[in-house]
Amino acid sequence: LVRPVESGGGSVQAGGSLSVSCTVPRLTSNTCGMDWYRQAAGKTREWVSGISRDGRITYIDPVKGRFTISGDEAKLTSWLQMNSLEPEDTAMYICKICVPGQNYWGQGIQVTVSS
């Protein structure tokens, strides 16, 4: 079973920064998109940011100007830099990497922001 490996995350006070990364080991392929989702306790999963097949980058409104997504297609690796974090950003952050015919989902990594 191929599963992306996530790293980073952790705990920080409001206003601080954290980053998360995601890579698919032992796999080389073109990507049809890289995305980050998050799921807070008791809430449904929401899409946060993504890089499309043609390199277009988009974010949900609450994180615009604070989060930055980047990716390396050759390495099937994605990063999400999170600045000016707010308690509302507390969630499990989950990556998804699309390759032709398959979406690979990470297990998630916790980000906790205290006020």
Side-chain angles (χ1 to χ4, degrees), residues 40-114:
K43 296 187 177 181
T44 58
R45 183 177 297 184
E46 68 171 348
W47 175 85
V48 176
S49 179
I51 304 175
S52 68
R53 182 200 309 263
D54 58 0
R56 184 167 54 94
I57 290 176
T58 48
Y59 303 92
I60 54 170
D61 285 346
V63 309
K64 285 181 180 177
R66 301 189 297 121
F67 288 14
T68 303
I69 190 173
S70 58
D72 185 328
E73 180 176 359
K75 297 180 180 179
L76 290 180
T77 300
S78 173
W79 298 270
L80 186 67
Q81 175 67 39
M82 302 174 285
N83 299 328
S84 301
L85 282 161
E86 303 167 355
E88 293 75 20
D89 296 316
T90 294
M92 184 78 72
Y93 282 73
I94 306 149
C95 73
K96 184 186 77 172
I97 295 182
C98 171
V99 302
Q102 181 77 44
N103 283 321
Y104 292 101
W105 288 89
Q107 289 187 309
I109 192 161
Q110 183 67 35
V111 169
T112 302
V113 185
S114 58

